[in-house]
Amino acid sequence: MIRHLSRRGFLAGSVSLTAAQALGQVPASGDVDVAIVGAGAAGIAAARRVASAGRTYALLEASDRIGGRVWSGRGGFGIEHDRGAHFMSASGRNPLVALGRLEKLELQNASPFRRIYVGQREARDSEYDAFTAALRRANRAISAAGEAGRDIAASQAMPDVGDWTRTVGFALGPNAVSKNLENVSTVDFARLEDQPDEVVCRTGLGQLLTAVARPLKVTLASSVIRIGPAARGPIFLETSRGNIRAETVIVTVSSNLLASGRFKFDTALPKRTLDAAEALSLGTRDRLIFELKGNPFRFTNDQRILFKGMDARNVGFVGRAGGSDLCFAEFTGSFGREMSAKGEAAMRAFVADQIAEHFGAQARKYLGRAEAVRWSSDPLILGGTSAAVPGKGNSRRILAEPLFDRMFLAGEAVHETWYGSVAGAWVTGERAADAALRYLAPKQAPVKGKK
Ligand SMILES: Cc1cc2nc3c(=O)[nH]c(=O)nc-3n(C[C@H](O)[C@H](O)[C@H](O)COP(=O)(O)OP(=O)(O)OC[C@H]3O[C@@H](n4cnc5c(N)ncnc54)[C@H](O)[C@@H]3O)c2cc1C
């Protein structure tokens, strides 16, 4: 994710199948080897794995599109862009990057440097150096506490790094892991790997996910309402479009949804699992997408932008997403949630003020159309990305434990070191599928060609 520390580098189609197409394609009921709940990155990865092993599956998605927190569209802008995840980190080992290349999609390197403004000018080299040193120092101190097993709030381990303290606190907290450092466990923080070398898909990460999901059968608009008893026999899944019976189940819904109790399990989930999901609550990462026609401030493509002095009550920008005139303002942490609840007009006004403050009052005129994507109020997600609360730094490995031998959780919150990312979600989907296939292995071998 977004926490790597290279100099100036930042810590780092909409729908493939319409509901109508899916209705014609996929039975909404029946018997399968594996039922997969949710067609985000984890669900798609799991289904690909199960399908390639020749096992039957049902990939059940409540929404009328695939992708979950990966969503590309045009909105009112007429330009394909990411409304959710945008960057693919650790491009050398990111499975999505390899798949994007196979699909011959246009991938381009994101700027490895963050841009920093001090007042109304860009930071000088010495200021960039000071910021990088402060960021490294703070990152090391928080990680050292976590590595030593001191599972406390990251804010408590945050050193005073002089006049960069607030900006660094913002960069390491809300901007990187979607939560204020007060709400982040040092142990969880320490485990997040630095993942530099980011790549973006010029036409949107959603297009990439759509391309890799194309061979799959997805049942859209099929909300899983209840998962039946898990003790013996097939597991029964009640969905809004029919019932499914499955030998094994993979659940990929967000940690907030899992903890919310909206999702009914007849065999109650173990308390430790529910507690872990709750501890891995999602921070906020809502977005205002806005137009800056003609690149008036000469932003670099896919570059993260910070302002010296900004604190947790502020927003970071991403400039020229995919090389377009669209920029993102990321409303993160508790301030992001507060602003997002006030609505799109308030978010836009905040960004306009930010632009005026850093580029001059006359710069407001460059702000064109704007649209908010508010993941925190999306009932199928309920937030941005997961971060463990203080004292609960070991929660991810609890979520990774199999349930009743044949139910598996997957999704970004389950990955211990690559959480909060599409790649992490993908890997956990593949792992869950492998576990499901191992469970099925002693049973009847798959019928050749059966899908
Ligand atoms: C604004 C934003 C920016 C981000 N930026 C980046 C980035 O640049 N790079 C990066 O790597 N990551 C980024 N992330 C994180 C990344 O998007 C997620 O980690 C990843 O997409 C999560 O995938 P998932 O499969 O775990 O969950 P999800 O994408 O949440 O998928 C779960 C699916 O389950 C479905 N579902 C829910 N309830 C039910 C039900 N009852 N029945 C059936 N289906 C159901 C949902 O509709 C959803 O499709 C960002 C996230 C946000 C919000």
Side-chain angles (χ1 to χ4, degrees):
M1 155 129 181
I2 333 165
R3 214 178 79 207
H4 63 84
L5 300 172
S6 59
R7 188 166 186 272
R8 301 190 203 184
F10 201 37
L11 246 211
S14 36
V15 187
S16 73
L17 300 168
T18 64
Q21 279 173 310
L23 281 168
Q25 260 180 353
V26 192
S29 55
D31 289 7
V32 291
D33 292 326
V34 188
I36 302 162
V37 184
I44 290 168
R48 281 173 55 103
R49 197 75 145 209
V50 172
S52 67
R55 291 289 186 176
T56 56
Y57 65 90
L59 179 52
L60 305 163
E61 170 54 52
S63 159
D64 61 359
R65 63 170 181 84
I66 63 159
R69 281 169 269 177
V70 177
W71 177 26
S72 305
R74 290 174 180 263
F77 300 107
I79 304 168
E80 202 72 32
H81 62 276
D82 284 317
R83 301 173 75 78
H86 181 59
F87 297 95
M88 289 179 277
S89 57
S91 56
R93 63 187 175 91
N94 189 317
L96 276 312
V97 172
L99 288 165
R101 292 205 171 109
L102 276 178
E103 294 289 339
K104 302 203 181 333
L105 289 167
E106 215 179 316
L107 305 185
Q108 59 192 35
N109 293 334
S111 170
F113 305 114
R114 70 170 68 72
R115 181 175 294 194
I116 297 176
Y117 288 89
V118 178
Q120 292 200 355
R121 63 167 172 81
E122 194 185 342
R124 303 189 174 100
D125 275 357
S126 59
E127 289 164 327
Y128 275 115
D129 288 342
F131 172 74
T132 303
L135 193 69
R136 279 178 188 280
R137 214 184 121 208
N139 187 51
R140 269 200 307 264
I142 299 171
S143 298
E147 282 157 16
R150 289 179 61 223
D151 197 348
I152 55 173
S155 55
Q156 284 178 263
M158 167 88 192
D160 181 349
V161 288
D163 57 354
W164 288 102
T165 302
R166 288 192 305 175
T167 315
V168 164
F170 173 78
L172 292 175
N175 206 230
V177 294
S178 311
K179 280 186 182 173
N180 299 24
L181 288 177
E182 301 89 89
N183 303 322
V184 176
S185 147
T186 46
V187 168
D188 197 41
F189 180 98
R191 289 196 181 130
L192 182 60
E193 283 177 53
D194 285 342
Q195 287 136 11
D197 304 323
E198 291 173 317
V199 162
V200 302
C201 178
R202 210 185 55 74
T203 50
L205 190 47
Q207 290 225 332
L208 198 162
L209 216 55
T210 297
V212 300
R214 203 163 283 131
L216 299 174
K217 297 173 185 172
V218 191
T219 314
L220 296 176
S222 175
S223 180
V224 175
I225 298 158
R226 189 166 69 86
I227 298 187
R232 72 177 83 84
I235 302 174
F236 174 83
L237 286 92
E238 182 186 338
T239 87
S240 53
R241 288 193 40 215
N243 300 327
I244 299 277
R245 291 192 322 162
E247 289 295 325
T248 65
V249 178
I250 297 174
V251 177
T252 73
V253 303
S254 75
S255 50
N256 270 18
L257 259 184
L258 201 61
S260 70
R262 289 188 197 177
F263 205 77
K264 300 276 177 267
F265 290 87
D266 282 1
T267 309
L269 291 186
K271 184 171 178 315
R272 61 192 260 105
T273 308
L274 289 173
D275 287 349
E278 200 175 325
L280 289 165
S281 55
L282 302 181
T284 300
R285 188 164 288 274
D286 289 355
R287 172 173 294 162
L288 190 81
I289 302 158
F290 60 96
E291 237 172 4
L292 282 180
K293 279 229 163 100
N295 195 16
F297 313 132
R298 294 201 297 279
F299 290 157
T300 303
N301 294 350
D302 303 299
Q303 184 171 41
R304 292 188 175 88
I305 296 152
L306 290 185
F307 305 101
K308 185 177 182 190
M310 69 197 309
D311 59 14
R313 297 188 64 74
N314 222 311
V315 299
F317 287 178
V318 174
R320 298 189 59 74
S324 73
D325 279 347
L326 299 184
C327 301
F328 303 153
E330 304 287 65
F331 285 80
T332 48
S334 47
F335 176 68
R337 187 162 287 241
E338 195 184 300
M339 284 302 296
S340 183
K342 290 185 182 166
E344 186 173 287
M347 293 163 85
R348 187 195 156 97
F350 188 87
V351 168
D353 287 348
Q354 187 93 336
I355 287 174
E357 188 180 336
H358 297 287
F359 303 101
Q362 76 294 346
R364 284 180 193 273
K365 65 174 182 272
Y366 297 116
L367 177 58
R369 286 172 293 187
E371 277 179 23
V373 185
R374 296 189 291 157
W375 295 96
S376 51
S377 48
D378 180 335
L380 295 176
I381 312 286
L382 299 176
T385 56
S386 66
V389 297
K392 301 284 182 183
N394 290 319
S395 301
R396 298 185 196 272
R397 62 181 65 148
I398 298 175
L399 285 194
E401 293 168 359
L403 299 162
F404 323 116
D405 290 338
R406 58 193 175 127
M407 232 188 248
F408 309 95
L409 301 179
E412 62 87 11
V414 182
H415 203 291
E416 221 172 15
T417 58
W418 211 349
Y419 56 82
S421 77
V422 181
W426 185 271
V427 169
T428 64
E430 290 188 335
R431 284 182 190 159
D434 288 343
L437 292 170
R438 278 196 299 277
Y439 173 82
L440 292 167
K443 299 178 179 268
Q444 196 192 358
V447 180
K448 246 200 158 140
K450 189 179 162 196
K451 275 229 156 166

